[in-house]
Amino acid sequence: MGKRVALVLAGCGVFDGSEVHEASAALVHLSRGGAEVKIFAPNIEQRDVVNHLQGSPTGEKRNVLVESARLARGNIQDLAELKVSEFDAVIFPGGFGVAKNLCSWAVDGKNCTVNEHVNSTLQAFHSAKKPIGLCCISPVLAAKVFPGCEVTVGQDKNVDGRFPDAETASAIAELGCKHVCKDVSESHVDKANKIVTTCAFMCKAPLHEIFDGIGTMIEEVLKLA
């Protein structure tokens, strides 16, 4: 029987929700790994709605759960209904929605607050010693909720212009966590906390390399599950 995995979304679209390619990559690798997946999102209003063609806010109001349902092909549940006992692992794709909707990192940085249902989900999986997989910006959730944990968001320096958000690594360190430098094709496993992270689109890399890097994260999560 395949592992039972919860996947948590933050909307639909890189600038105000979940990064579509990351969510899709995670789902493809989970499918290939034989996992049984259920998708969740918090039933809350988005922080903002961005016109992805222009890159600017529209002033509209949208709901994170409703927008996430686009990616889930309608098959999705309120994150408040997630029961850790029904799953072996949880995955959080990235995208600005993580930093805007699942927490306030986009506005408050390391002083951010984490959505109550996101926080309780992370705490529940951690307490049950079940693995947590995070990619792109979502490792900041673990850094905020689990001081002392180890994560990666890629490199801590903007090497060859490939890591424009390298300062995120410093903010993670300031939270009392260890940032481990990894390339886009790699993931880092914090064995003590069962947290697996990979940088994905925090690196300016070809899509297939990001896809493969997410694959290493999923593979390690399924091994730990």
Side-chain angles (χ1 to χ4, degrees):
M1 183 176 175
K3 302 299 182 182
R4 304 164 300 169
V5 180
L7 185 128
V8 181
L9 297 177
C12 182
V14 59
F15 297 126
D16 57 13
S18 288
E19 211 296 319
V20 175
H21 298 292
E22 292 178 8
S24 178
L27 287 166
V28 169
H29 288 295
L30 286 166
S31 175
R32 184 171 287 145
E36 176 188 341
V37 182
K38 290 188 178 179
I39 305 175
F40 297 84
N43 186 11
I44 57 174
E45 187 176 293
Q46 290 184 192
R47 178 174 288 276
D48 61 15
V49 176
V50 175
N51 179 322
H52 279 59
L53 182 61
Q54 298 175 345
S56 57
T58 66
E60 296 174 66
K61 302 292 184 183
R62 295 190 187 182
N63 178 279
V64 173
L65 179 58
V66 172
E67 291 303 296
S68 297
R70 294 173 179 271
L71 279 172
R73 299 172 60 86
N75 189 9
I76 195 169
Q77 293 174 259
D78 187 337
L79 183 59
E81 299 172 4
L82 190 156
K83 295 180 176 62
V84 69
S85 61
E86 297 178 356
F87 296 94
D88 301 303
V90 65
I91 302 290
F92 287 79
F96 277 92
V98 172
K100 292 179 175 181
N101 305 325
L102 303 192
C103 71
S104 63
W105 187 277
V107 176
D108 302 319
K110 68 178 192 287
N111 298 315
C112 71
T113 56
V114 178
N115 171 272
E116 62 174 318
H117 295 302
V118 173
N119 184 72
S120 62
T121 296
L122 288 166
Q123 294 280 11
F125 276 86
H126 188 259
S127 296
K129 301 188 186 307
K130 295 180 177 182
I132 299 166
L134 311 109
C135 65
C136 194
I137 191 62
S138 64
V140 302
L141 296 172
K144 187 66 181 181
V145 175
F146 307 118
C149 73
E150 299 177 0
V151 299
T152 188
V153 289
Q155 298 291 322
D156 56 10
K157 294 182 178 60
N158 190 10
V159 181
D160 297 328
R162 295 178 75 231
F163 294 91
D165 301 304
E167 71 277 1
T168 304
S170 298
I172 287 169
E174 288 173 16
L175 285 170
C177 298
K178 180 180 179 182
H179 180 267
V180 181
C181 291
K182 293 285 184 177
D183 198 13
V184 66
S185 61
E186 302 173 307
S187 56
H188 177 69
V189 181
D190 178 347
K191 293 181 180 178
N193 290 293
K194 290 194 172 182
I195 296 170
V196 187
T197 51
T198 190
C199 68
F201 276 103
M202 294 292 275
C203 178
K204 288 189 173 182
L207 181 57
H208 71 278
E209 293 184 15
I210 290 162
F211 181 90
D212 291 345
I214 291 171
T216 68
M217 181 265 284
I218 296 296
E219 182 179 2
E220 294 295 341
V221 166
L222 295 178
K223 281 181 188 175
L224 290 170

